[in-house]
Amino acid sequence: MPDSQPQPLGQDEKDCLLRVVSDLSILPDDRQELLHWAFVKSTIISEISEAKQAFGWVDKELKKYLLIDIFAYLDTNNGRSRKGKIIASDHFKELCREFTDDEISSLRKDANRESHKTEEEIKKEIVEVESDIKQNEEIQISEDSNDRNEKTTSRSNDEKPDQDEDDPHRMKMKESLRKAKRVATGLLVAMAAMFIAHYFFIPEYLGHGIVMAFTAAAMIGGLADWYAVTALFRQPLYIPEEKIKIPHTAIIPKRKDEIGKELANFVKDKILVKDVVEEQLRHSDLTHLVGEWLQDEANAKRLDRDFSEIIKWFRSTDSSELLGGFKRILTEKIAQRIPANKALAAIIDVLASGNNTQVIIDELTQFGLHQIEGNREAILNFIRKNIKKEGGWFKKMMRSIGEKIGFGITDENIDAIYTEIESKCKQLLREIRNDQEHPVRIEFNNRLRSWHEKLINDKSVAKKSDHLLGEFLRNETVQDFFQSLWEKTRDALYAELMDESSDIRRSIEREIQNIGKKLSGDANLRKSLNNWLGEFITKIVVNHSDQISKAISDTIKKWDPKTTAESIELQIGRDLQWIRINGTVVGGLIGILIYLLTGFHH
C-alpha cells in the first residue's frame, strides 16, 4: 500500500473516472464541473486499489468523497432532468451500494455544508489542492518520466487480459484475429521457406523457375500488404516513434481526430438529413417496439425500480428548497394565471345548471330540520345562559322577538317562546322542501345567477376575487396545509414504493405492461403515435444535427489513440489479414505471369 502522502491519479484512473462521470451528466459543462470536484477530492486520498470495474479501483473512503461531491452537485443544480439521469445511473447506484441509509443521510448533510461554502473558501481550497497536484506531478515527471512510460505500457498490457476476461465477445474477436494473423504470416513464411529451399538446396527441374518466380513474387506481395495493414494501426515491428519515426505509419492513431471530424460531417450531411430520417422512421414501427419492450415483465420491473430510486432520493434529500419553490408557484404563478372570478363563476354555473340547485336546497332544508330536532336541549341551555347577561346583544334580540310574538321573555316562558320559534322554523323549512316553486327557492336561484353575471362582467368583482384568491394562497395556514400534504404524500408513497410486494408497486408494473399491450394491439393508436413521433424525432434530429455531429467529433477526440486503433483493428483486422493472404497469392500468380512472359520473349 502507498504511504500517507497524497498520491495523484494516474492517467488510466483519470480516464476511468472520466468515462464514469460522462454517464452522470448530459452537458459537457456540468460534466467538467463534477469531474473537477471529483479530481480535487480523489487526489487527497491515497489508498486506491487495482481497476476491476467502473468504481472497483476506488476504496470506500474515496467513494464517500465522490458521493459527497455528487450530492453537493445535485443540491446546487436546478435541472430536474439532469438530476433524474444521475439518480437512475447504474454508476450512481454502484457508488451508493456500499453505504447504509444512515451513512447516505450523513453524506447528504456533509454535501449540504459543502455546497454552502463561501466563494472565497471554495476558490482557496481549489487553488491549494491544484497547487499540490501540480507540484506532485512535476516531481514525478522530472524524476522518472521514462520509467513511468514503461510502467504504463506494462500495466496496460497486464490489465488488458483482465478486461478481456470480463468480455467474452472481445476475447472471441481477439482469438479470431490471432488465428487470421497466424494464417497470413504462416503463408508468408511458407513462401520464404520454399524460395530459400529452391535457391540453395533443390536442384533445377522442369518447373523450378516457375516455383522460384511464384515464391519470390508472393513474398514481395505478402510483405507489402503486411506493411500496409500494419501501418494503419502502428509502426511496423513495434518500432518506438521516439527512436525512429517512419512517415505515413500509425495512420489511425495519428489522424484519429481528423477521422472523427470527417465521420461526424458524413453523419451530418448524409444521415441526419430530413429525407433519410423520415425514410428510416417510416419503415420502423417505433410504437410497436416500445410496446413489446414494455410488455416484458422484467422491463416493467426495471422501470418501476428506477422510479422508486428517484422517490427514495427525493425523500432523503433536503426538500426545503423544493418546498420553497412549490410555495412560490402556489402564491405567484397560480394566483397570476388562474382568474379567480372565472373559476368561481364556473362553480356557480355548475351549481345552477340542471336540477343541482333544487337538490342542494333539499339537502339544506333536511339538514336544518335534523339539527333543530336533535339539538333542542342544547339550544335551550344556550338561551338560558345568555338571557341572563345584562346589556348583551342576545338578550336584546330575544326581547325584540318577545315583543313581536306578544309577550315578554322570562326564565319561566323561555321554553314556550322557543317552542313557538321552533315550530315556525320547521314549518318554513318543510314548506321550502315540499314546494319546488317556493319563493325562497326562486330567490336562491336568482341570487346565484346574479353572482354569476357579476363575476363574469363586473371588473371590480373580478379584481376582488383575484385579491381574495391571492390572500387565501398566501395564508400561512393554507401553505402549512400544503406542506403537510406534500410531506405525508411523499412519506406514504415512499413506504409503498420501497415494498416490492405492495399494491402500488404491482399496480405500476401492471399498468406499464398494459400500456405496452395497448401500444402493440391498437393499430390506430400506433399509427397516430408513430406519425407524431416521426415528426417530433425528425424535427429534433434535423434541428440539432450540428450539435450531434459536434458531439461525435468531440467524443472521438477524447478517445485514447492507441485504444482506438486496437478497437478498430479488432473489428476489421480479420478482413485485413485476408488482404495479406490475397496479396501473397496474387503476387505469386503475377510472378508466374511475368516469368512466362519474359521467358517467351527470350
Side-chain angles (χ1 to χ4, degrees), residues 187 191 214 217-218 221-222 579-591:
L187 181 60
M191 295 298 102
F214 178 84
I579 290 177
R580 290 178 55 193
I581 294 170
N582 292 337
T584 303
V585 175
V586 171
L589 295 175
I590 293 174

Side-chain angles (χ1 to χ4, degrees), residues 539-556:
K539 187 174 293 185
I540 291 295
V541 170
V542 173
N543 290 344
H544 295 82
S545 59
D546 290 337
Q547 292 91 324
I548 296 172
S549 173
K550 187 176 184 301
I552 295 172
S553 177
D554 291 345
T555 301
I556 293 176

Side-chain angles (χ1 to χ4, degrees), residues 282-437:
R282 193 177 297 117
H283 297 293
S284 60
D285 192 347
L286 294 178
T287 310
H288 179 73
L289 295 176
V290 172
E292 291 292 327
W293 190 86
L294 291 177
Q295 286 184 70
D296 190 293
E297 185 177 356
N299 295 329
K301 287 181 178 294
R302 180 181 178 182
L303 288 178
D304 180 33
R305 216 165 30 243
D306 290 341
F307 179 68
S308 301
E309 289 293 331
I310 295 175
I311 294 296
K312 181 179 180 181
W313 179 82
F314 271 120
R315 182 178 183 270
S316 59
T317 192
D318 180 14
S319 59
S320 58
E321 183 180 347
L322 182 62
L323 286 173
F326 180 72
K327 288 180 180 179
R328 285 193 296 274
I329 292 174
L330 188 67
T331 57
E332 296 174 10
K333 303 298 183 183
I334 293 180
Q336 291 173 3
R337 297 183 181 182
I338 296 180
N341 62 316
K342 292 184 179 180
L344 292 173
I347 294 172
I348 292 175
D349 194 38
V350 172
L351 293 176
S353 63
N355 198 41
N356 293 337
T357 308
Q358 304 302 330
V359 173
I360 292 172
I361 294 175
D362 290 343
E363 291 297 326
L364 288 175
T365 55
Q366 189 63 36
F367 176 77
L369 288 169
H370 178 74
Q371 292 300 313
I372 291 173
E373 293 172 354
N375 295 284
R376 176 183 174 84
E377 289 302 321
I379 296 171
L380 283 171
N381 289 335
F382 174 80
I383 294 173
R384 293 189 187 101
K385 180 179 178 181
N386 287 277
I387 200 71
K388 297 177 181 180
K389 295 181 180 179
E390 291 296 334
W393 65 270
F394 187 79
K395 187 170 184 177
K396 292 178 181 178
M397 182 186 72
M398 294 301 294
R399 186 180 292 114
S400 175
I401 293 173
E403 292 174 355
K404 289 181 179 180
I405 61 178
F407 49 83
I409 297 177
T410 62
D411 289 342
E412 291 75 18
N413 61 12
I414 285 176
D415 287 3
I417 293 173
Y418 177 74
T419 301
E420 183 70 18
I421 296 173
E422 180 186 40
S423 175
K424 296 291 184 183
C425 290
K426 290 168 68 175
Q427 181 182 352
L428 176 61
L429 290 173
R430 290 191 185 99
E431 289 175 357
I432 295 172
R433 183 187 63 184
N434 298 329
D435 185 2
Q436 296 294 316
E437 300 296 330

Side-chain angles (χ1 to χ4, degrees), residues 5 13 50 66 71 78 124 134 231 234 321 330 337 345 380 382 413 436 438 446 448 452 458 475 477 493 589:
Q5 293 298 320
E13 287 84 358
E50 294 181 357
L66 286 173
F71 289 145
N78 295 324
K124 184 178 179 181
K134 186 175 181 181
R234 65 187 69 84
E321 183 180 347
L330 188 67
R337 297 183 181 182
L380 283 171
F382 174 80
N413 61 12
Q436 296 294 316
H438 195 279
N446 292 337
L448 281 179
H452 183 272
D458 193 329
N475 184 275
T477 303
L493 188 61
L589 295 175

Side-chain angles (χ1 to χ4, degrees), residues 45-237:
I45 307 301
S46 59
E47 296 184 358
I48 299 176
S49 60
E50 294 181 357
K52 297 284 186 182
Q53 51 189 347
F55 278 104
W57 55 272
V58 181
D59 67 1
K60 187 172 182 179
E61 190 67 15
L62 179 52
K63 289 181 182 178
K64 181 172 73 174
Y65 277 92
L66 286 173
L67 274 176
I68 289 174
D69 286 318
I70 293 173
F71 289 145
Y73 170 77
L74 293 174
D75 288 339
T76 56
N77 191 288
N78 295 324
R80 291 191 62 184
S81 62
R82 300 177 206 167
K83 291 183 180 182
K85 181 175 177 64
I86 292 174
I87 295 165
S89 166
D90 291 336
H91 298 307
F92 179 78
K93 296 174 186 176
E94 182 183 338
L95 270 176
C96 296
R97 196 168 290 129
E98 292 191 19
F99 298 92
T100 63
D101 290 343
D102 292 338
E103 288 174 329
I104 292 290
S105 178
S106 176
L107 293 180
R108 290 191 185 281
K109 293 178 181 178
D110 292 340
N112 185 260
R113 288 194 295 270
E114 189 84 9
S115 62
H116 286 83
K117 285 183 178 180
T118 64
E119 186 175 353
E120 290 75 12
E121 289 174 332
I122 295 174
K123 287 183 178 179
K124 184 178 179 181
E125 178 182 354
I126 291 174
V127 169
E128 290 176 353
V129 175
E130 286 182 340
S131 176
D132 292 340
I133 295 171
K134 186 175 181 181
Q135 183 178 359
N136 288 335
E137 288 184 347
E138 287 177 352
I139 293 172
Q140 187 174 5
I141 291 171
S142 61
E143 286 181 352
D144 203 4
S145 177
N146 293 332
D147 184 56
R148 182 184 61 188
N149 290 334
E150 292 176 3
K151 287 182 178 180
T152 302
T153 303
S154 175
R155 181 176 59 188
S156 299
N157 292 334
D158 291 340
E159 287 179 354
K160 284 173 186 174
D162 293 336
Q163 295 171 357
D164 293 340
E165 287 177 4
D166 297 332
D167 189 348
H169 179 65
R170 188 178 176 87
M171 289 180 63
K172 186 177 180 180
M173 291 176 66
K174 293 195 81 169
E175 181 59 30
S176 177
L177 177 59
R178 279 194 290 266
K179 288 181 179 178
K181 283 184 176 181
R182 283 197 292 267
V183 172
T185 304
L187 181 60
L188 180 60
V189 171
M191 295 298 102
M194 288 178 65
F195 178 82
I196 293 171
H198 280 73
Y199 189 84
F200 290 104
F201 304 110
I202 299 177
E204 291 190 11
Y205 56 92
L206 181 61
H208 189 275
I210 292 177
V211 174
M212 288 285 290
F214 178 84
T215 54
M219 283 193 298
I220 294 171
L223 285 170
D225 285 339
W226 163 81
Y227 182 89
V229 169
T230 304
L232 286 172
F233 306 104
R234 65 187 69 84
Q235 290 209 141
L237 301 176

